[in-house]
């Protein structure tokens, strides 16, 4: 696959605020994770497939801030991500919630642990109309030895009205080194 030079980086120094408490290495890991939405890790070929939906999402998501246990992104609602009623499609909302919560969990969980999504709960409160911008805030509610819970809120940028809520539960397991 080609490099991501054709599309802008999901984390840019011009638009992203990174707290000084977080190690720059972790910021790089989150950036690489967001880039992998389009360019999946070849070691996961048996578990993931490249799909056009990933390309649609990557071009619409921009990281605004990355902190320890918290990530804030901006999502622009384009016609490709809308449903019949010109609102952000529920599948796109769930996909963004899953990917942001995974990246958020990764700010706390070490790389030697594999994360498995055990539960994703969605609440669709209001529609985000086409051409609007949504601020998506993910924060870790609890992270322990075997479990990480992440809360994700989608808010309209102009009014900060909550449109969607999500809660993801990840189970952790140590990756075996055979």
């Amino acid at each position: 696959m080609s490099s991501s030079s054709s599309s802008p980086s999901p984390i840019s120094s011009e638009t992203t605020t990174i707290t000084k408490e977080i190690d720059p290495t972790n910021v790089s890991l989150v950036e690489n994770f967001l880039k992998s939405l389009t360019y999946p890790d070849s070691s996961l070929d048996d578990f993931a497939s490249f799909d056009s939906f990933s390309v649609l999402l990557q071009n619409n998501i921009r990281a605004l801030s990355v902190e320890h246990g918290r990530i804030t992104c901006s999502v622009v609602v384009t016609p490709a991500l809308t449903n019949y009623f010109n609102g952000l499609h529920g599948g796109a909302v769930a996909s963004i919630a899953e990917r942001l919560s995974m990246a958020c969990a990764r700010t706390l969980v070490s790389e030697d642990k594999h994360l498995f999504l055990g539960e994703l709960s969605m609440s669709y409160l209001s529609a985000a109309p086409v051409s609007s911008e949504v601020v998506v805030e993910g924060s870790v509610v609890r992270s322990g030895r075997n479990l990480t819970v992440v809360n994700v809120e989608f808010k309209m940028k102009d009014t900060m009205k909550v449109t969607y809520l999500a809660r993801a539960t990840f189970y952790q397991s140590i990756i075996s080194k055979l």
Side-chain angles (χ1 to χ4, degrees), residues 69-124:
R70 168 172 269 155
I71 295 176
T72 304
C73 292
S74 170
V75 176
V76 177
V77 181
T78 59
L81 296 178
T82 59
N83 57 21
Y84 178 78
F85 302 102
N86 284 327
L88 185 57
H89 192 281
V93 173
S95 185
I96 292 165
E98 177 194 5
R99 292 164 191 223
L100 181 66
S101 60
M102 176 74 81
C104 197
R106 275 288 169 213
T107 65
L108 296 177
V109 178
S110 65
E111 280 188 62
D112 66 334
K113 290 191 175 182
H114 199 92
L115 291 176
F116 296 95
L117 180 63
E119 177 183 9
L120 181 64
S121 171
M122 300 294 306
S123 296
Y124 299 93

Side-chain angles (χ1 to χ4, degrees), residues 44-62:
L44 301 175
D45 285 343
D46 292 339
F47 307 103
S49 64
F50 182 77
D51 57 71
S52 60
F53 200 63
S54 297
V55 175
L56 291 173
L57 290 179
Q58 184 188 26
N59 292 330
N60 293 308
I61 297 176
R62 296 286 170 258

Side-chain angles (χ1 to χ4, degrees), residues 14-165:
E14 298 167 5
T15 59
T16 304
T17 304
I18 301 170
T19 182
K20 294 183 190 318
E21 298 169 358
I22 201 162
D23 183 2
T25 306
N26 290 340
V27 173
S28 177
L29 289 172
V30 170
E31 179 179 18
N32 290 337
F33 178 81
L34 290 171
K35 284 180 182 178
S36 74
L37 297 178
T38 298
Y39 306 105
D41 182 0
S42 62
S43 67
L44 301 175
D45 285 343
D46 292 339
F47 307 103
S49 64
F50 182 77
D51 57 71
S52 60
F53 200 63
S54 297
V55 175
L56 291 173
L57 290 179
Q58 184 188 26
N59 292 330
N60 293 308
I61 297 176
R62 296 286 170 258
L64 299 175
S65 71
V66 178
E67 300 173 29
H68 194 67
R70 168 172 269 155
I71 295 176
T72 304
C73 292
S74 170
V75 176
V76 177
V77 181
T78 59
L81 296 178
T82 59
N83 57 21
Y84 178 78
F85 302 102
N86 284 327
L88 185 57
H89 192 281
V93 173
S95 185
I96 292 165
E98 177 194 5
R99 292 164 191 223
L100 181 66
S101 60
M102 176 74 81
C104 197
R106 275 288 169 213
T107 65
L108 296 177
V109 178
S110 65
E111 280 188 62
D112 66 334
K113 290 191 175 182
H114 199 92
L115 291 176
F116 296 95
L117 180 63
E119 177 183 9
L120 181 64
S121 171
M122 300 294 306
S123 296
Y124 299 93
L125 307 174
S126 175
V130 69
S131 301
S132 64
E133 190 170 353
V134 180
V135 175
V136 186
E137 299 173 347
S139 60
V140 173
V141 176
R142 178 190 183 281
S143 186
R145 187 170 57 103
N146 297 316
L147 184 78
T148 300
V149 179
V150 180
N151 190 52
V152 180
E153 290 185 349
F154 292 73
K155 299 177 183 177
M156 298 300 299
K157 184 178 181 181
D158 53 350
T159 64
M160 295 308 283
K161 175 184 172 186
V162 177
T163 54
Y164 313 102
L165 296 171

